[in-house]
Amino acid sequence: MKKYFLLIAACLFGLTACDNAAQQEQEQETTYPNEVIETIMTRRSVRQYNDEPIPHEVMDKILECGIHAPNGMNAQRWEVRVVESQKWIKDATEAYKNSVPADSPMAKQFEDPNFKNMFRNATNVIFISHRPGPCTQLDCGLMAGNMVNAAKSLGVSSVIMMGPIGFFSTEAGKPFLDALALSEGQELLICIGMGYSDEKPETPERKYSKVKYVQ
Ligand SMILES: Cc1cc2nc3c(=O)[nH]c(=O)nc-3n(C[C@H](O)[C@H](O)[C@H](O)COP(=O)(O)O)c2cc1C
């Protein structure tokens, strides 16, 4: 009896090992049905960038893809600002650093030797604002989605962020918000850091169990 148990255990172990090896091989060799799906599946949020600027013609295409996102009633209650000024990014980061209490958990990030700026070290920052309405947050999210996937398809990495947004409604953040020159009634909602990647992030786990067919 014990002999059979050991045999079954050995077989099961063998099968699991094969499964893992096959899965790893499959991950390495994944082929996608087309380039759009490959872009969507391989895009990752990047938080380390080199200093190479994004050429204007590349950024223009990314922005164009953004404004072609579906949006409620095609009302386009959004505005977009692209910050290229390294001085603006540096000064905003300095003001932000000064506004964070030294004992706050937020101050931990400044100790990271790789910390370059408050936008996850990106070289360019796209700000998306909205004139709040029933679907405008969704509209801006879809716009951001188009932008990050378009960027990925052009070799540009990105990270969508809400974390830095609160700073711009503080006294210290006001001059930087003013410099964005948004129209009356527009409120900052989201920003996207972009640039050329200096890291290769892992794919964070996705929970396939969240999706169910109803038949
Ligand atoms: C609405 C939204 C807000 C986010 N805010 C931040 C943020 O403030 N800082 C950050 O580092 N990442 C932020 N992210 C990136 C997520 O952490 C990231 O998308 C998620 O971990 C999945 O990883 P992936 O983008 O590599 O697939 C945000 C993403 C979204 C969609």
Side-chain angles (χ1 to χ4, degrees):
M1 185 66 184
K2 195 174 167 196
K3 215 161 71 184
Y4 283 118
F5 176 76
L6 286 174
L7 189 65
I8 291 169
C11 286
L12 282 176
F13 176 76
L15 280 176
T16 315
C18 280
D19 265 7
N20 287 344
Q23 196 184 332
Q24 272 172 17
E25 208 169 292
Q26 197 190 350
E27 273 169 16
Q28 274 161 15
E29 287 179 8
T30 304
T31 52
Y32 299 98
N34 62 48
E35 283 181 14
V36 175
I37 292 176
E38 179 169 2
T39 298
I40 291 169
M41 295 299 287
T42 57
R43 179 213 56 81
R44 296 277 68 85
S45 292
V46 165
R47 298 177 176 91
Q48 289 300 327
Y49 296 87
N50 64 31
D51 295 332
E52 198 183 328
I54 302 172
H56 257 279
E57 61 275 20
V58 173
M59 184 54 92
D60 281 348
K61 211 26 99 190
I62 294 169
L63 300 171
E64 193 183 354
C65 290
I67 62 170
H68 273 265
N71 65 99
M73 313 272 289
N74 197 28
Q76 302 171 63
R77 291 163 67 115
W78 54 35
E79 284 187 4
V80 177
R81 298 290 180 268
V82 186
V83 176
E84 293 181 316
S85 163
Q86 297 306 300
K87 181 171 163 35
W88 187 99
I89 292 175
K90 187 168 163 279
D91 291 351
T93 300
E94 214 41 51
Y96 172 65
K97 274 171 91 169
N98 292 335
S99 74
V100 174
D103 57 352
S104 133
M106 298 302 289
K108 274 260 166 287
Q109 59 182 309
F110 310 136
E111 291 164 20
D112 181 346
N114 293 319
F115 179 88
K116 285 190 200 165
N117 67 51
M118 65 185 286
F119 305 104
R120 294 293 192 190
N121 311 311
T123 45
N124 291 68
V125 190
I126 299 174
F127 286 91
I128 302 177
S129 68
H130 66 146
R131 186 157 52 83
C135 357
T136 51
Q137 293 209 6
L138 285 175
D139 295 344
C140 293
L142 289 165
M143 171 185 258
N146 267 21
M147 285 180 177
V148 294
N149 283 315
K152 167 73 187 173
S153 77
L154 296 168
V156 176
S157 294
S158 63
V159 56
I160 293 177
M161 290 167 284
M162 291 193 91
I165 296 298
F167 168 69
F168 296 96
S169 54
T170 65
E171 200 53 36
K174 192 174 178 310
F176 301 96
L177 177 67
D178 289 348
L180 297 180
L182 295 168
S183 302
E184 190 69 29
Q186 287 284 324
E187 292 177 11
L188 269 193
L189 184 63
I190 202 167
C191 63
I192 310 174
M194 288 203 178
Y196 291 98
S197 179
D198 219 5
E199 64 165 353
K200 200 170 180 306
E202 296 286 309
T203 304
E205 188 212 357
R206 278 351 197 230
K207 297 183 174 116
Y208 285 82
S209 63
K210 298 271 182 187
V211 181
K212 296 211 190 317
Y213 285 98
V214 178
Q215 286 175 325

